[in-house]
Amino acid sequence: MLLWIAFSLMTGAAILAVLWPLRTGAGAAPEAASAAEADLAVYRDQLAEIERDRTAGLIGEGEGEAARAEVARRILRASAEVHATRAASAGNVGRRRAAALIALIGVPVLAGTLYILLGSPQLSPQPLAARLNARPEEADVAVLIRKVEEHLEANPDDGRGYEVIAPIYLRIGRTSDAVRAWSNAIRLLGSSPSRQSGLGEAMVADADGVVTAEASAAFQQALAQDPKDPKARYFLGLAAEQDGKTAEAAAYWSALAADSPAGAPWLPLVHAALARVGATAPAPQTAQMPGPGAADVAAAEDMTPEQRSQMIRGMVERLSARLAEDGDDLEGWLRLMRAWTVLGDADKAKAAAADARDHFGKDDAALARIDALARELGLGS
């Protein structure tokens, strides 16, 4: 009931706003007509006065005729003004009545039609308290954020709450709130790769895309805990690009592309970044790491663990021998470094890195990728 009363009051206010100017303009035409009629009365008095002066001999016949002619012209002009003003007033009255009719009928009808078409008159009122208590799937994002914020106000040590709301803040553009939420999550829950990279990403967004020193430190923390973290690796490459170190940026992004599975959601972004610095994206890991053939798999089923290890080592030895003959395969050198590391032979992995550097000594981009992988594998630079 209160809702409809409010609607009625608003409609009345809208109609009054339309009719008020019409009311103030209604007296303009009658006022002009009254002024012209007063002039006519004055001119008639002047004619009578001229006639009296002529009869009394105060003015001559010629002078009297000239004065009567002048006053007659003024009377004609004033009469025309009176008629024109009255005609205009009659037209204005018609237009004002039409405008008033439209305001009285059209405004309510138009408002009601728009409400029926665009509004939801069948829904019951939803005060803020009821919206805050609604089920999550029925609440909008702003209400859900407000609920989490109220929870955190009452429970400021709930690190999980900060971790939940931080990426939401970032998604809706509240970057400084995202930085604060990630910082609180790390303070309360401890450091982790996802929290550190989330904090760094929020810092970059808060700095309008610039990878600041604080953001780089967060990404380095994430990479120290997880050398494969794709977000940290991408943004550290971006930091290198912004510092003018395009070779280092290409190394970060090339290694990330090589390690990423086919179809990884971040690959298009990485490929675009590589193109920006003039580097070519390598094939994803699944495409560049050929596995054993069907015969090898069948034979391995009957092998002991030692025999399987020996078979794998033999495959790695064959890759090493092939690279010794034809060392132009950069991806092969990178696979060889990884393979020896997985087999636990750090000396051969370091030797492979050294041989790769010797072969690509004049290719800065290739050297950057080799050095990046060596650091990642713990082989030194």
Side-chain angles (χ1 to χ4, degrees), residues 106 169 232 304 329 348:
Y169 278 148
T304 64
D329 183 5
K348 289 189 176 181

Side-chain angles (χ1 to χ4, degrees), residues 294-307:
D296 294 328
V297 173
E301 292 179 353
D302 299 327
M303 291 181 180
T304 64
E306 292 78 10
Q307 290 173 328

Side-chain angles (χ1 to χ4, degrees), residues 150 198 282 315:
E150 288 183 348
M315 295 173 64

Side-chain angles (χ1 to χ4, degrees), residues 201-293:
E201 183 182 19
M203 288 178 171
V204 172
D206 198 43
D208 296 326
V210 176
V211 185
T212 62
E214 294 80 5
S216 293
F219 292 128
Q220 291 288 359
Q221 286 283 340
L223 212 58
Q225 298 176 60
D226 180 10
K228 298 292 186 181
D229 186 281
K231 186 180 295 184
R233 296 167 75 182
Y234 170 77
F235 277 105
L236 287 174
L238 183 61
E241 181 192 19
Q242 292 176 353
D243 290 340
K245 304 174 182 177
T246 55
E248 184 178 341
Y252 270 114
W253 291 330
S254 296
L256 176 56
D259 291 341
S260 299
W266 56 82
L267 274 179
L269 187 64
V270 175
H271 290 166
L274 284 168
R276 199 166 58 242
V277 296
T280 303
Q285 185 175 2
T286 54
Q288 63 166 282
M289 292 293 291

Side-chain angles (χ1 to χ4, degrees), residues 300-339:
E301 292 179 353
D302 299 327
M303 291 181 180
T304 64
E306 292 78 10
Q307 290 173 328
R308 291 193 190 96
S309 177
Q310 191 63 33
M311 183 189 74
I312 294 172
R313 184 173 289 272
M315 295 173 64
V316 175
E317 292 283 3
R318 287 195 296 274
L319 174 61
S320 178
R322 180 176 66 81
L323 290 174
E325 296 178 0
D326 180 11
D328 292 335
D329 183 5
L330 175 61
E331 302 301 327
W333 285 109
L334 298 178
R335 289 201 303 274
L336 183 62
M337 292 166 60
R338 291 193 187 92

